[in-house]
Amino acid sequence: AQRVTQPEKLLSVFKGAPVELKCNYSYSGSPELFWYVQYSRQRLQLLLRHISRESIKGFTADLNKGETSFHLKKPFAQEEDSAMYYCALLGSGNTGKLIFGQGTTLQVKP
Amino acid sequence: DTEVTQTPKHLVMGMTNKKSLKCEQHMGHRAMYWYKQKAKKPPELMFVYSYEKLSINESVPSRFSPECPNSSLLNLHLHALQPEDSALYLCASSQGPDSYYGYTFGSGTRLTVV
């Protein structure tokens, strides 16, 4: 079965603290993984794609095939990072289906 | 233009009404999607259109009827909805159905069924 698991519903940190949002997946083969962010009252936005190995807004995510993980990290959280974060997996079979995790709300306190 | 535009932004409809949601993109994307999102939940896939053909229907009730008039437009026709259908309806597009560039989402239509 193809599945994405985000074990934490809520992650609360203080400004300046490191952040790690966990994502584990279940997939046969080479996965295509993404992180999406949804700020309050804004549209769902693509934050990162694993294939591009980029850093956006200070966030990075590394694919670990051995641990089937794609955790999102930032060394120093900012208040404006407070949002809902979804990890997503592109389903197999050329369907275009994105399989989302349940999401983690990140709350950055001043 | 790098956006997906959805109209209307808000819609209130009775259970006997017929209404349509519209979605438009001009990025040349060839795959378009309808998702339903309940509060504090992830989006749930409803339909996928790939090269203007319906390729996935995730067992959605027939009171939801998608239509793709051309490669830039996607509609969702609504008829005889139930109160539990109240949700945020999201349209998205991608370069193709196997796009590892990810989706571009619209801001959604917030639907309330009364």
Side-chain angles (χ1 to χ4, degrees):
Chain A
Q2 297 172 12
R3 189 169 55 245
V4 175
T5 304
Q6 293 179 251
E8 302 138 329
K9 284 187 84 167
L10 173 66
L11 184 62
S12 187
V13 301
F14 285 102
K15 178 181 169 183
V19 169
E20 184 178 50
L21 297 161
K22 291 187 175 9
C23 172
N24 289 91
Y25 66 89
S26 173
Y27 187 83
S28 300
S30 292
E32 300 291 345
L33 287 155
F34 307 87
W35 277 98
Y36 282 84
V37 60
Q38 197 167 29
Y39 300 101
S40 181
R41 297 193 193 87
Q42 291 190 30
R43 68 182 67 199
L44 202 57
Q45 301 172 37
L46 178 64
L47 181 63
L48 283 177
R49 304 167 283 167
H50 99 266
I51 197 160
S52 55
R53 301 186 60 81
E54 57 208 337
S55 173
I56 304 288
K57 300 185 180 184
F59 285 98
T60 58
D62 289 315
L63 177 62
N64 185 322
K65 288 189 177 181
E67 295 183 1
T68 60
S69 68
F70 187 55
H71 302 328
L72 184 68
K73 299 178 185 178
K74 185 169 183 176
F76 307 104
Q78 303 298 313
E79 288 181 69
E80 56 265 29
D81 296 329
S82 296
M84 174 70 89
Y85 291 80
Y86 291 104
C87 183
L89 168 71
L90 187 62
S92 62
N94 202 31
T95 62
K97 180 175 179 177
L98 264 188
I99 300 162
F100 285 89
Q102 290 298 304
T104 298
T105 299
L106 175 63
Q107 187 181 74
V108 181
K109 295 179 283 190
Chain B
D1 188 352
T2 58
E3 284 201 347
V4 173
T5 303
Q6 289 188 246
T7 55
K9 292 201 182 311
H10 301 274
L11 179 63
V12 178
M13 61 185 288
M15 289 190 283
T16 57
N17 290 161
K18 282 186 183 181
K19 295 285 185 185
S20 297
L21 309 184
K22 295 187 184 306
C23 174
E24 192 167 1
Q25 57 88 14
H26 296 287
M27 295 177 280
H29 287 178
R30 301 311 302 270
M32 295 184 77
Y33 312 83
W34 280 113
Y35 276 81
K36 174 182 176 180
Q37 187 178 27
K38 292 276 201 178
K40 299 196 187 300
K41 296 288 187 187
E44 297 172 19
L45 182 65
M46 300 174 73
F47 302 103
V48 178
Y49 271 85
S50 179
Y51 297 91
E52 297 150 60
K53 287 187 168 35
L54 182 65
S55 59
I56 292 185
N57 175 339
E58 291 281 274
S59 304
V60 178
S62 59
R63 56 187 185 267
F64 295 92
S65 175
E67 178 197 19
C68 187
N70 60 54
S71 60
S72 299
L73 293 173
L74 188 65
N75 298 321
L76 186 63
H77 303 297
L78 313 173
H79 174 55
L81 295 193
Q82 304 297 309
E84 59 265 28
D85 296 321
S86 298
L88 182 67
Y89 287 84
L90 297 170
C91 175
S93 69
S94 63
Q95 289 192 353
D98 59 348
S99 175
Y100 46 75
Y101 292 102
Y103 289 10
T104 301
F105 280 88
S107 55
T109 294
R110 190 161 299 282
L111 174 68
T112 304
V113 182
V114 297

